[in-house]
Every structure is written in C-alpha cells, then in structure tokens.
Amino acid sequence: MRHIGSQYDGNFSAASSAGSRSGIFSGLWGVNNNVLIFLPAGDTTNPSGGCVWFNAQHTQVKCTVTTGPIQAQ
C-alpha cells in the first residue's frame, strides 16, 4: 500500500457516567476502535474482515475492531 499522507474525519462518540452505575447496565462490555480510510482517487478495494464502505461514493472505508470484554458490575 502506498503512503499518501493522513486524513482524519474528526467524528467520534463518547459516553460516560457519573456516580454509581448511572445509566450503565451490568455485564460484559466491549470497546469499539474505528479507523476511517480515505481512498485516493481512482483506487479500488473490496472491504472485508471488519471493514465496510462508509459512504455511498465508495471513497471511504470504515474498519472496526472490538476490544474487551470488560466487566461492569
């Protein structure tokens, strides 16, 4: 794969709670790690293995890996 520089979409989501388990259900939880890949013009790919098309123009691919689990009590 050729390196053409880095781009970031700046989109993220976060959740937190204050106090004792407010809004958090007990059980096993995982953490999703998402990487958004911007394809250079004219390049093609076939997303697989946790990667899917992120936009209708097929110029961005999102790859997700889940880590964990962690135990919420």
Side-chain angles (χ1 to χ4, degrees):
M1 173 182 260
R2 62 186 170 161
H3 177 73
I4 60 163
S6 300
Q7 291 180 301
Y8 303 93
D9 71 344
N11 293 326
F12 69 93
S13 60
S16 62
S17 64
S20 176
R21 291 190 297 157
S22 64
I24 300 296
F25 295 98
S26 63
L28 295 177
W29 286 77
V31 176
N32 283 345
N33 299 285
N34 297 304
V35 175
L36 187 58
I37 300 168
F38 296 80
L39 296 178
D43 283 13
T44 59
T45 188
N46 186 17
S48 63
C51 298
V52 296
W53 288 114
F54 187 70
N55 65 349
Q57 295 79 21
H58 290 186
T59 59
Q60 300 173 21
V61 176
K62 181 180 80 168
C63 298
T64 302
V65 175
T66 303
T67 58
I70 57 172
Q71 177 73 47
Q73 299 177 350

